[in-house]
Amino acid sequence: MNDKKILIVDDEKPIVDILKFNLEKEGFSTAVAYDGEEAINLALSIKPDLILLDLMLPKVDGFNVCKELRKSLVCPIIMLTAKEEVVDKIIGLELGADDYMTKPFSIREVIARIKANLRKHVLPESNSSKKGNEKIYIKDMIIDPEKYIAIIGDKKIDLTPKEFELLKMLSSEPTQVYTREQILKGVWGYDFYGDARTVDVTIRRLREKIEKNPAEPQYVQTKRGMGYYISD
Protein backbone atom coordinates (compact mmCIF):
# COMPACT_ATOMS: atom_id res chain seq x y z
CA MET A 1 0.00 0.00 0.00
CA ASN A 2 1.40 3.38 -1.00
CA ASP A 3 1.54 5.87 1.87
CA LYS A 4 2.17 8.92 -0.34
CA LYS A 5 -0.44 11.69 -0.29
CA ILE A 6 -1.22 13.57 -3.49
CA LEU A 7 -3.02 16.92 -3.46
CA ILE A 8 -5.09 17.42 -6.63
CA VAL A 9 -5.87 21.06 -7.42
CA ASP A 10 -8.24 21.65 -10.34
CA ASP A 11 -11.58 23.41 -10.74
CA GLU A 12 -12.87 20.86 -13.27
CA LYS A 13 -14.62 18.18 -11.24
CA PRO A 14 -14.59 15.49 -13.99
CA ILE A 15 -10.79 15.76 -14.22
CA VAL A 16 -10.46 15.67 -10.43
CA ASP A 17 -12.68 12.58 -10.21
CA ILE A 18 -10.67 10.74 -12.87
CA LEU A 19 -7.34 11.61 -11.23
CA LYS A 20 -8.60 10.75 -7.76
CA PHE A 21 -10.01 7.37 -8.85
CA ASN A 22 -6.88 6.29 -10.71
CA LEU A 23 -4.40 7.53 -8.11
CA GLU A 24 -6.24 5.76 -5.31
CA LYS A 25 -6.32 2.62 -7.47
CA GLU A 26 -2.51 2.90 -7.59
CA GLY A 27 -2.44 3.02 -3.78
CA PHE A 28 -1.96 6.77 -3.26
CA SER A 29 -4.07 8.70 -0.79
CA THR A 30 -5.55 11.90 -2.19
CA ALA A 31 -6.86 15.28 -1.13
CA VAL A 32 -8.69 17.72 -3.38
CA ALA A 33 -8.96 21.51 -3.75
CA TYR A 34 -11.09 23.26 -6.37
CA ASP A 35 -9.67 26.79 -6.13
CA GLY A 36 -6.34 28.43 -5.39
CA GLU A 37 -7.23 29.75 -1.97
CA GLU A 38 -8.40 26.35 -0.78
CA ALA A 39 -5.29 24.77 -2.29
CA ILE A 40 -2.92 26.98 -0.29
CA ASN A 41 -4.72 26.39 3.00
CA LEU A 42 -5.04 22.64 2.46
CA ALA A 43 -1.44 22.16 1.31
CA LEU A 44 -0.04 23.99 4.32
CA SER A 45 -2.30 21.94 6.58
CA ILE A 46 -1.74 18.41 5.27
CA LYS A 47 1.75 18.85 3.76
CA PRO A 48 1.28 16.47 0.81
CA ASP A 49 4.08 14.45 -0.77
CA LEU A 50 3.28 15.86 -4.22
CA ILE A 51 0.89 18.43 -5.70
CA LEU A 52 -0.88 18.29 -9.06
CA LEU A 53 -1.61 21.98 -9.65
CA ASP A 54 -3.82 23.34 -12.43
CA LEU A 55 -2.80 26.70 -13.86
CA MET A 56 -6.23 28.25 -14.38
CA LEU A 57 -7.97 28.37 -10.99
CA PRO A 58 -10.63 30.56 -9.35
CA LYS A 59 -9.66 33.05 -6.60
CA VAL A 60 -5.88 32.49 -6.85
CA ASP A 61 -4.28 31.22 -10.06
CA GLY A 62 -1.82 28.35 -10.20
CA PHE A 63 1.18 30.63 -10.61
CA ASN A 64 0.48 32.45 -7.35
CA VAL A 65 -0.43 29.23 -5.54
CA CYS A 66 2.96 27.79 -6.55
CA LYS A 67 4.77 30.96 -5.52
CA GLU A 68 3.06 31.00 -2.12
CA LEU A 69 3.61 27.31 -1.39
CA ARG A 70 7.28 27.48 -2.31
CA LYS A 71 7.83 29.77 0.68
CA SER A 72 7.44 26.81 3.02
CA LEU A 73 6.94 23.53 1.10
CA VAL A 74 9.57 21.59 -0.84
CA CYS A 75 7.42 18.73 -2.14
CA PRO A 76 7.33 18.23 -5.93
CA ILE A 77 4.77 20.34 -7.80
CA ILE A 78 3.55 19.21 -11.21
CA MET A 79 1.77 22.03 -12.99
CA LEU A 80 -1.19 21.16 -15.22
CA THR A 81 -2.05 23.52 -18.04
CA ALA A 82 -4.40 23.50 -21.00
CA LYS A 83 -2.22 26.05 -22.75
CA GLU A 84 0.54 25.28 -25.23
CA GLU A 85 2.40 28.56 -24.80
CA VAL A 86 6.00 28.01 -23.72
CA VAL A 87 5.88 31.18 -21.62
CA ASP A 88 3.38 29.58 -19.20
CA LYS A 89 5.65 26.60 -18.68
CA ILE A 90 8.71 28.80 -18.17
CA ILE A 91 6.89 31.01 -15.66
CA GLY A 92 5.78 27.91 -13.79
CA LEU A 93 9.35 26.66 -13.58
CA GLU A 94 10.56 30.10 -12.53
CA LEU A 95 8.10 30.08 -9.63
CA GLY A 96 9.25 26.68 -8.39
CA ALA A 97 7.24 24.04 -10.24
CA ASP A 98 9.24 20.85 -10.80
CA ASP A 99 7.42 19.55 -13.84
CA TYR A 100 4.53 20.39 -16.13
CA MET A 101 1.97 18.54 -18.22
CA THR A 102 -0.28 19.91 -20.95
CA LYS A 103 -3.94 18.88 -21.10
CA PRO A 104 -5.24 16.60 -22.42
CA PHE A 105 -2.95 14.00 -20.88
CA SER A 106 -3.15 10.25 -20.36
CA ILE A 107 -3.63 8.88 -16.85
CA ARG A 108 -0.76 6.49 -17.47
CA GLU A 109 1.58 9.40 -18.14
CA VAL A 110 0.35 11.30 -15.07
CA ILE A 111 1.07 8.31 -12.85
CA ALA A 112 4.49 7.82 -14.46
CA ARG A 113 5.36 11.48 -13.86
CA ILE A 114 4.18 11.30 -10.25
CA LYS A 115 6.22 8.19 -9.51
CA ALA A 116 9.31 9.63 -11.22
CA ASN A 117 9.11 12.86 -9.21
CA LEU A 118 8.54 11.00 -5.95
CA ARG A 119 11.51 8.71 -6.62
CA LYS A 120 13.72 11.75 -7.08
CA HIS A 121 12.46 13.37 -3.89
CA VAL A 122 13.25 10.89 -1.12
CA LEU A 123 13.27 12.36 2.36
CA PRO A 124 16.01 11.22 4.76
CA GLU A 125 13.75 9.25 7.09
CA SER A 126 12.73 6.98 4.20
CA ASN A 127 16.25 6.40 2.91
CA SER A 128 17.18 2.77 3.40
CA SER A 129 20.57 2.97 1.71
CA LYS A 130 23.52 5.21 2.46
CA LYS A 131 25.03 4.72 -0.99
CA GLY A 132 25.41 8.03 -2.75
CA ASN A 133 24.44 9.96 0.39
CA GLU A 134 27.90 11.15 1.38
CA LYS A 135 28.21 14.89 1.89
CA ILE A 136 29.71 16.85 -1.00
CA TYR A 137 31.99 19.83 -0.33
CA ILE A 138 32.35 22.56 -2.97
CA LYS A 139 34.30 25.61 -1.79
CA ASP A 140 32.29 26.86 1.22
CA MET A 141 29.17 24.90 0.26
CA ILE A 142 28.09 21.61 1.83
CA ILE A 143 25.56 19.43 -0.03
CA ASP A 144 23.95 16.77 2.15
CA PRO A 145 21.98 14.28 -0.01
CA GLU A 146 20.80 12.35 3.05
CA LYS A 147 19.18 15.40 4.66
CA TYR A 148 18.30 16.93 1.29
CA ILE A 149 19.85 20.28 2.14
CA ALA A 150 22.59 22.61 0.93
CA ILE A 151 24.48 24.96 3.24
CA ILE A 152 26.73 27.87 2.33
CA GLY A 153 28.73 29.14 5.27
CA ASP A 154 26.20 28.88 8.09
CA LYS A 155 23.15 29.55 5.90
CA LYS A 156 20.77 26.80 4.82
CA ILE A 157 19.67 27.25 1.19
CA ASP A 158 16.00 26.53 0.46
CA LEU A 159 15.93 24.55 -2.78
CA THR A 160 13.08 22.88 -4.63
CA PRO A 161 13.48 19.15 -5.40
CA LYS A 162 14.62 19.79 -8.97
CA GLU A 163 17.04 22.55 -7.92
CA PHE A 164 18.57 20.20 -5.33
CA GLU A 165 18.82 17.28 -7.75
CA LEU A 166 20.45 19.55 -10.32
CA LEU A 167 22.98 20.85 -7.79
CA LYS A 168 23.69 17.33 -6.57
CA MET A 169 24.22 16.03 -10.11
CA LEU A 170 26.62 18.80 -11.10
CA SER A 171 28.50 18.61 -7.78
CA SER A 172 28.95 14.85 -7.89
CA GLU A 173 31.58 15.30 -10.63
CA PRO A 174 33.12 18.80 -10.29
CA THR A 175 34.45 20.28 -13.54
CA GLN A 176 32.60 17.68 -15.65
CA VAL A 177 30.43 19.39 -18.23
CA TYR A 178 26.86 18.08 -18.46
CA THR A 179 24.81 18.73 -21.57
CA ARG A 180 21.22 19.89 -21.24
CA GLU A 181 20.06 16.49 -22.50
CA GLN A 182 22.08 14.71 -19.80
CA ILE A 183 20.64 17.02 -17.15
CA LEU A 184 17.07 16.47 -18.35
CA LYS A 185 17.52 12.71 -18.18
CA GLY A 186 19.43 12.69 -14.89
CA VAL A 187 17.37 15.22 -12.95
CA TRP A 188 13.88 14.68 -14.30
CA GLY A 189 14.42 10.95 -14.29
CA TYR A 190 12.56 9.83 -17.41
CA ASP A 191 12.02 10.76 -21.05
CA PHE A 192 11.10 14.33 -20.19
CA TYR A 193 9.16 16.18 -22.86
CA GLY A 194 10.98 19.40 -22.18
CA ASP A 195 13.69 21.31 -23.95
CA ALA A 196 16.85 23.24 -23.18
CA ARG A 197 14.88 26.12 -21.70
CA THR A 198 13.68 23.88 -18.88
CA VAL A 199 17.29 23.34 -17.82
CA ASP A 200 18.26 26.97 -18.37
CA VAL A 201 15.40 28.24 -16.21
CA THR A 202 16.26 25.83 -13.37
CA ILE A 203 19.94 26.78 -13.61
CA ARG A 204 19.01 30.46 -13.40
CA ARG A 205 16.80 29.82 -10.39
CA LEU A 206 19.56 27.82 -8.69
CA ARG A 207 22.13 30.55 -9.30
CA GLU A 208 19.84 33.15 -7.77
CA LYS A 209 19.85 31.12 -4.56
CA ILE A 210 23.48 30.04 -4.23
CA GLU A 211 25.51 32.74 -5.98
CA LYS A 212 26.42 36.08 -4.42
CA ASN A 213 26.19 37.57 -7.91
CA PRO A 214 24.24 35.33 -10.33
CA ALA A 215 25.63 37.34 -13.25
CA GLU A 216 29.16 36.32 -12.23
CA PRO A 217 28.67 32.81 -10.82
CA GLN A 218 31.33 31.20 -8.66
CA TYR A 219 29.76 27.75 -8.48
CA VAL A 220 27.60 26.88 -11.50
CA GLN A 221 29.51 27.68 -14.68
CA THR A 222 28.44 27.66 -18.33
CA LYS A 223 30.51 25.93 -20.99
CA ARG A 224 29.37 27.83 -24.04
CA GLY A 225 27.79 25.62 -26.67
CA MET A 226 28.03 22.54 -24.44
CA GLY A 227 26.30 22.77 -21.07
CA TYR A 228 26.95 23.40 -17.38
CA TYR A 229 29.44 22.34 -14.73
CA ILE A 230 30.41 23.06 -11.12
CA SER A 231 33.65 24.88 -10.50
CA ASP A 232 35.59 23.53 -7.53
Side-chain angles (χ1 to χ4, degrees):
M1 185 69 178
N2 200 320
D3 61 350
K4 299 297 185 182
K5 183 178 293 183
I6 311 298
L7 174 58
I8 304 167
V9 185
D10 199 307
D11 64 332
E12 297 182 62
K13 192 174 187 302
I15 291 178
V16 171
D17 290 344
I18 291 171
L19 288 170
K20 182 177 173 63
F21 174 79
N22 284 277
L23 289 175
E24 290 179 353
K25 192 167 70 172
E26 285 288 319
F28 295 103
S29 63
T30 63
V32 174
Y34 292 98
D35 64 63
E37 188 176 289
E38 182 185 12
I40 293 171
N41 293 332
L42 189 55
L44 294 177
S45 172
I46 68 173
K47 294 181 172 56
D49 296 288
L50 183 142
I51 301 172
L52 291 174
L53 177 62
D54 188 40
L55 175 60
M56 305 301 291
L57 294 169
K59 297 186 179 180
V60 183
D61 67 35
F63 290 140
N64 283 300
V65 171
C66 184
K67 183 178 180 180
E68 184 63 28
L69 293 181
R70 274 295 173 241
K71 294 177 181 178
S72 55
L73 295 183
V74 297
C75 68
I77 295 176
I78 301 177
M79 190 161 278
L80 308 177
T81 173
K83 295 184 176 181
E84 288 288 353
E85 287 86 347
V86 172
V87 65
D88 288 332
K89 299 170 183 177
I90 297 302
I91 291 172
L93 293 169
E94 288 277 15
L95 293 175
D98 299 284
D99 201 348
Y100 57 80
M101 297 187 66
T102 302
K103 298 177 182 178
F105 44 72
S106 72
I107 289 298
R108 181 176 296 179
E109 185 185 359
V110 172
I111 291 171
R113 297 281 188 104
I114 288 172
K115 290 180 177 179
N117 276 279
L118 288 174
R119 278 197 302 270
K120 284 292 183 178
H121 184 57
V122 181
L123 295 177
E125 56 264 31
S126 61
N127 278 345
S128 58
S129 172
K130 297 296 181 182
K131 185 178 179 181
N133 282 344
E134 295 84 2
K135 291 180 182 178
I136 302 170
Y137 298 86
I138 305 290
K139 298 179 181 178
D140 61 342
M141 177 167 56
I142 302 173
I143 301 160
D144 191 334
E146 185 175 357
K147 294 183 178 178
Y148 221 80
I149 60 173
I151 300 172
I152 297 179
D154 57 358
K155 180 184 177 184
K156 179 183 173 183
I157 310 300
D158 291 322
L159 301 174
T160 68
K162 287 295 181 288
E163 291 165 359
F164 185 85
E165 289 296 334
L166 175 54
L167 178 62
K168 177 183 171 184
M169 179 180 184
L170 295 177
S171 301
S172 64
E173 295 288 344
T175 73
Q176 177 177 325
V177 178
Y178 289 88
T179 66
R180 291 168 175 83
E181 290 73 22
Q182 288 174 319
I183 292 172
L184 281 172
K185 184 177 179 180
V187 173
W188 275 260
Y190 53 92
D191 294 330
F192 184 66
Y193 298 108
D195 54 28
R197 284 166 294 194
T198 302
V199 175
D200 296 339
V201 168
T202 310
I203 287 283
R204 184 164 67 247
R205 228 171 51 206
L206 178 61
R207 280 174 171 162
E208 288 172 356
K209 293 184 177 182
I210 69 173
E211 305 284 1
K212 289 182 179 179
N213 180 4
E216 297 179 3
Q218 300 300 307
Y219 296 104
V220 181
Q221 305 291 332
T222 301
K223 187 72 171 180
R224 193 172 298 279
M226 295 181 65
Y228 297 100
Y229 66 98
I230 282 280
S231 171
D232 62 354

